[in-house]
Amino acid sequence: MCVFDLFDSRTKLHQLYGVAFHYLTFETLRPHLCHLLYYLTTRDDVKIFRIRKLLELQINVGKEPPLLGLLYTYRSYFPNLILAPLPTTNRITFKCPDEATATLIQELQEKWSILSTDTYHEIPLDGSKAPISKLGAKRQKLSHSSIPDTLSIYNKGPNVNSLPLSQITSLDSLVGHLDSLTLPDQVSSILSSRLLQHVLCLQPSQAVVERISYWLEQELMDLWYWTEKTELTKKRFSTLLAKVVEVTTTIKDILPVIEKFLVSFIRVWDGVEHRKEIFTLLTYIRPRSYEEIYVNYFKPLHKIFHYMGPIWKSELILCYTGLLKRWAQINWKDFITFGNEPGLSEEAVDVLCRLFSSMRTDVDYMQMIRSFIEHVDSISSTALEMEHDHISVQHGVLSFFDLVSSLTGTHQLPLAVVVPDSTIVYRCYLSDNGMAISRICRVIYQYKQAFEAFEHEQQMEYERLIQLSLEEHAREHGEDSEKDPEVPVPPEVPGYSRDYVIQFNSLVMDICNFIWRNRAFNKTDKNARGFLVDSNTVGHVRQVCADGGLAVNNMLSLTHSAAFAGFSARFLSTLEDQYNIPAEKRLRAPASNPALKDMMANGGLNIAFEDYRVQYLDYLEQEGFEGVCRFLYDCITNLVQRKLQSLEMQRQERSLEMQRQERSFEMQHQEQSRDI
């Protein structure tokens, strides 16, 4: 078997398949013959009498790994013919018969591959349990120790007119001949063929899924768990994992065997190796009960969460964001409607089915999603505190809740609004990063829109129930009945209450007080909580501001905060340049109502503070901080009117300036006429 991969043709060797199978009863020959048959077996070689003989032989001689390996190969082609359970083993199924010769061959090939400029270096990936060498292009194409090519096609049933995949040149021809196509004998070639991946999506087969699943399970466990960790096996595992990710992202679904592998892998994962591939695969896991997902995936990841840096924490939260987005794309309304029906129609079955599996109807998926959001909310608060509001962590957290805030609106998810913890909102707003402030304002704005839409929908549902109650009362008691109809109870929504709305309103009020009203840490307004900062801390902040001659009320506003003071100064300088204000009359302090009045009194820029802030908001929107603008225009009732007034004043100023220019032009024209 050391030279098997070096044969240019195996046609004559395959003609001896029956002879080799006949001598399997010889104990001394059986390991080597099973190894040879393992490589030579094709779909056409799997016969019922051979399956029967292998099963009888297994009963007589016991659980020999080579014999089990051959049986598994037979079952991968026809799972329905081998129904008896086969024992699993963690021993290497086929060992190299001569390690010294294999090493010598490898050294020779490596030596010649360096001298050849045409050699194609690729690590073999498939069924060879003892890979021999890195083969050149010609050898690699013929080798069984790599992912097979897709040109071999087998006939399915009575169809003898199957079209070879090599003749498919476009998607149109693929669709036109889909009924006459079948997958090749070596289904592992799906990992390297985009065409086969399309066929698998358009024509999913449980038998094919079981075959590729068996092959993948054996390869992944062999390379990661059973085989000694060497540079070669690590590289082969990395290459295979990358192929699995490529297939998963192409077909937009994950094979159940990969989910099973992730469960085992994550339990002992160090969080570093293959991080990108693991996080990508995690975004494709299927929805199921929260307890199952938490135990299998979230809990092991949470154990290493505390030991990782800010980049890793951000990537995990972004991974959860991708997972939630994929779940949100499911047609949940139809699923819930069909799932509640006692007898499912064909349309219902189509909704409930995924590409490789079906969704259970006895799971409360909305509660599962809610619990998932609460889990990410918890680790987000922890990550922000542990990493001291690192910008990458802020990006991950804000990306997640930007998606959550749009679930009921953009994605039409029948789920009550789930608001982030107040500490997340406050920490992001108190950041010295304008990105975090603008994005948290955008998130709160989207939540406000979601709450209003949700309450409107709940009110309409309540009115519908009242109308149905009135109609039912009229049918039972007549139109002129003196008995009042029973008022229906509004439907309860899990996780939603009036206190929940009041809690959200406090977030809105606090941000408005800080960013616009210059009433930082105020707790006397309705629903205001002053960012939940205790009185001792507020007193200390006031003392520090007083020592520096500053007003604490506007230190975290849109014009004075560390995140936006620079933008305010730049915008004010732009206005002064526009009106040609002399340098000695320009404002040298942050823009405020008293400062702008003093500047006007000294002959500087003539603009009121309210008009300045309206124009400043437009400037911030042009700079990319649209979240702040959307939030303020939606929450400050008189801000829209002020903007309209400011636009009208600007229009009048432009009109007056044009009139002055026209008069100046006419005067110059008249002077030129007199001179002539």
Side-chain angles (χ1 to χ4, degrees):
M1 297 310 299
C2 291
V3 297
F4 185 87
D5 291 324
L6 307 179
F7 294 161
D8 288 330
S9 174
R10 303 186 182 90
T11 303
K12 294 183 179 180
L13 184 61
H14 189 272
Q15 292 175 356
L16 299 175
Y17 189 94
V19 177
F21 194 92
H22 174 74
Y23 287 100
L24 283 177
T25 54
F26 287 74
E27 184 177 356
T28 55
L29 296 178
R30 188 160 49 247
H32 307 291
L33 291 177
C34 287
H35 197 176
L36 177 62
L37 294 174
Y38 173 81
Y39 285 131
L40 293 177
T41 299
T42 64
R43 186 180 180 87
D44 294 333
D45 296 319
V46 181
K47 307 295 184 182
I48 294 180
F49 73 90
R50 287 175 178 161
I51 294 176
R52 186 181 300 112
K53 182 175 180 180
L54 287 177
L55 291 175
E56 292 175 355
L57 191 60
Q58 188 237 346
I59 295 174
N60 295 330
V61 302
K63 304 175 183 178
E64 291 185 357
L67 186 59
L68 288 177
L70 186 57
L71 268 171
Y72 275 118
T73 304
Y74 271 50
R75 192 173 70 172
S76 68
Y77 286 112
F78 290 98
N80 57 321
L81 296 182
I82 303 180
L83 301 179
L86 298 179
T88 57
T89 176
N90 59 357
R91 297 171 56 188
I92 297 177
T93 304
F94 301 113
K95 299 180 180 180
C96 182
D98 192 340
E99 293 286 351
T101 303
T103 303
L104 180 60
I105 293 174
Q106 182 176 359
E107 291 175 353
L108 288 173
Q109 289 187 331
E110 289 178 349
K111 178 179 179 180
W112 285 103
S113 65
I114 296 175
L115 300 177
S116 175
T117 58
D118 299 328
T119 302
Y120 176 68
H121 299 280
E122 182 176 350
I123 302 298
L125 292 179
D126 81 1
S128 175
K129 305 303 176 185
I132 294 179
S133 62
K134 300 177 182 178
L135 302 177
K138 181 178 180 181
R139 302 290 187 187
Q140 185 74 10
K141 181 178 179 181
L142 296 174
S143 174
H144 273 231
S145 61
S146 63
I147 291 181
D149 60 74
T150 62
L151 301 183
S152 60
I153 198 79
Y154 64 80
N155 293 332
K156 186 176 181 181
N159 183 12
V160 296
N161 299 317
S162 296
L163 185 67
L165 290 179
S166 58
Q167 297 184 17
I168 301 298
T169 58
S170 65
L171 285 178
D172 292 337
S173 60
L174 171 63
V175 175
H177 299 88
L178 183 62
D179 294 336
S180 59
L181 284 177
T182 51
L183 293 177
D185 290 344
Q186 302 294 335
V187 292
S188 56
S189 57
I190 291 175
L191 297 181
S192 297
S193 172
R194 183 64 63 88
L195 178 60
L196 279 178
Q197 294 164 16
H198 284 300
V199 174
L200 184 61
C201 292
L202 297 173
Q203 198 181 49
S205 168
Q206 185 63 29
V208 173
V209 172
E210 289 182 2
R211 287 174 58 195
I212 187 64
S213 297
Y214 163 72
W215 184 87
L216 276 175
E217 183 178 23
Q218 293 296 315
E219 281 299 303
L220 289 171
M221 293 301 293
D222 183 26
L223 294 173
W224 169 69
Y225 184 73
W226 294 334
T227 307
E228 181 182 358
K229 299 295 187 299
T230 63
E231 291 301 322
L232 180 61
T233 56
K234 289 180 180 179
K235 194 169 184 180
R236 293 180 66 217
F237 177 76
S238 179
T239 306
L240 178 58
L241 198 60
K243 289 287 186 181
V244 170
V245 172
E246 181 182 348
V247 172
T248 303
T249 54
T250 299
I251 64 180
K252 306 301 181 185
D253 200 1
I254 188 171
L255 287 164
V257 68
I258 302 301
E259 288 186 299
K260 180 181 177 182
F261 168 76
L262 285 176
V263 172
S264 302
F265 185 86
I266 291 175
R267 289 176 181 172
V268 295
W269 185 38
D270 61 0
V272 178
E273 289 187 319
H274 317 294
R275 180 173 64 185
K276 181 180 178 181
E277 290 80 5
I278 296 302
F279 281 160
T280 302
L281 291 174
L282 283 173
T283 61
Y284 288 89
I285 61 176
R286 296 177 180 83
R288 47 178 64 87
S289 67
Y290 178 75
E291 291 75 15
E292 183 179 353
I293 295 180
Y294 178 79
V295 171
N296 290 334
Y297 303 103
F298 299 160
K299 186 176 181 179
L301 290 172
H302 190 61
K303 288 182 178 179
I304 60 178
F305 178 83
H306 297 279
Y307 304 103
M308 295 299 172
I311 303 299
W312 193 95
K313 290 182 174 70
S314 174
E315 289 181 354
L316 177 63
I317 297 174
L318 289 174
C319 166
Y320 287 157
T321 304
L323 175 62
L324 180 60
K325 185 175 182 179
R326 204 164 302 283
W327 287 351
Q329 293 171 350
I330 299 175
N331 189 353
W332 288 109
K333 286 190 175 181
D334 289 349
F335 174 82
I336 293 174
T337 301
F338 293 137
N340 292 333
E341 294 180 359
L344 296 180
S345 61
E346 294 183 0
E347 294 79 4
V349 174
D350 292 338
V351 173
L352 300 181
C353 287
R354 312 297 292 164
L355 183 58
F356 298 124
S357 64
S358 298
M359 295 176 60
R360 294 166 52 186
T361 59
D362 59 343
V363 176
D364 187 351
Y365 290 102
M366 294 302 102
Q367 180 59 40
M368 180 272 294
I369 293 177
R370 183 180 181 84
S371 299
F372 170 54
I373 295 174
E374 291 172 351
H375 171 72
V376 181
D377 178 89
S378 175
I379 67 172
S380 297
S381 301
T382 304
L384 288 172
E385 182 176 357
M386 290 181 62
E387 304 302 335
H388 307 289
D389 303 312
H390 193 281
I391 187 172
S392 62
V393 179
Q394 288 179 340
H395 169 65
V397 172
L398 291 168
S399 298
F400 180 80
F401 284 103
D402 185 60
L403 173 62
V404 174
S405 62
S406 64
L407 289 179
T408 58
T410 304
H411 297 281
Q412 299 296 314
L413 205 66
L415 176 74
V417 184
V418 185
V419 179
D421 187 74
S422 57
T423 57
I424 295 177
V425 178
Y426 296 154
R427 294 188 74 102
C428 288
Y429 181 82
L430 294 175
S431 170
D432 59 358
N433 188 334
M435 176 276 297
I437 298 176
S438 179
R439 291 182 67 182
I440 195 61
C441 287
R442 170 187 167 88
V443 168
I444 296 299
Y445 161 76
Q446 292 181 162
Y447 270 114
K448 187 173 181 294
Q449 300 295 313
F451 266 114
E452 292 173 353
F454 182 79
E455 290 187 341
H456 176 70
E457 182 178 347
Q458 291 298 108
Q459 180 64 28
M460 292 184 62
E461 177 66 16
Y462 182 51
E463 292 176 357
R464 187 182 69 84
L465 291 177
I466 291 179
Q467 183 64 30
L468 291 176
S469 178
L470 292 174
E471 294 176 356
E472 183 178 358
H473 180 269
R475 286 195 302 269
E476 294 179 357
H477 304 283
E479 296 288 345
D480 301 329
S481 175
E482 297 180 356
K483 184 179 179 180
D484 295 331
E486 295 182 2
V487 178
V489 179
E492 294 184 2
V493 179
Y496 182 83
S497 64
R498 194 60 197 170
D499 294 337
Y500 199 65
V501 178
I502 293 175
Q503 177 186 348
F504 173 77
N505 288 338
S506 70
L507 300 178
V508 176
M509 179 59 71
D510 285 343
I511 294 178
C512 288
N513 283 341
F514 273 77
I515 199 171
W516 190 258
R517 295 193 175 103
N518 295 335
R519 297 167 62 102
F521 304 111
N522 180 277
K523 297 183 180 180
T524 59
D525 295 336
K526 182 180 179 181
N527 297 326
R529 299 185 180 183
F531 279 11
L532 299 178
V533 180
D534 60 273
S535 57
N536 293 333
T537 303
V538 174
H540 179 70
V541 172
R542 291 184 185 278
Q543 185 60 45
V544 171
C545 291
D547 295 341
L550 303 172
V552 68
N553 290 338
N554 59 7
M555 286 308 298
L556 293 171
S557 67
L558 203 59
T559 55
H560 287 67
S561 67
F564 289 106
F567 291 99
S568 177
R570 187 187 307 170
F571 173 66
L572 183 60
S573 177
T574 302
L575 290 179
E576 291 172 334
D577 291 340
Q578 181 180 347
Y579 289 98
N580 299 319
I581 303 299
E584 64 276 7
K585 296 183 179 181
R586 296 194 174 194
L587 184 64
R588 302 301 179 186
S592 62
N593 194 22
L596 290 180
K597 287 182 178 180
D598 293 342
M599 182 180 63
M600 285 189 292
N602 295 329
L605 184 66
N606 185 10
I607 186 172
F609 182 60
E610 297 302 331
D611 295 332
Y612 167 80
R613 290 202 298 179
V614 172
Q615 297 181 33
Y616 177 44
L617 276 180
D618 295 338
Y619 171 77
L620 288 178
E621 187 173 13
Q622 295 174 3
E623 292 294 316
F625 299 102
E626 60 178 19
V628 172
C629 302
R630 290 187 180 183
F631 172 81
L632 288 175
Y633 280 120
D634 188 72
C635 298
I636 306 299
T637 54
N638 59 349
L639 186 57
V640 176
Q641 185 64 29
R642 290 177 185 173
K643 181 176 182 179
L644 294 177
Q645 293 175 358
S646 177
L647 292 175
E648 180 62 23
M649 291 179 61
Q650 294 179 26
R651 188 190 66 79
Q652 292 177 1
E653 290 179 359
R654 288 194 298 268
S655 178
L656 292 174
E657 181 65 23
M658 292 178 61
Q659 292 177 7
R660 285 195 298 267
Q661 292 178 359
E662 290 177 356
R663 285 197 299 268
S664 176
F665 177 76
E666 291 177 357
M667 292 176 63
Q668 292 178 3
H669 181 70
Q670 291 175 2
E671 290 178 358
Q672 291 177 358
S673 299
R674 285 196 300 269
D675 293 341
I676 294 174

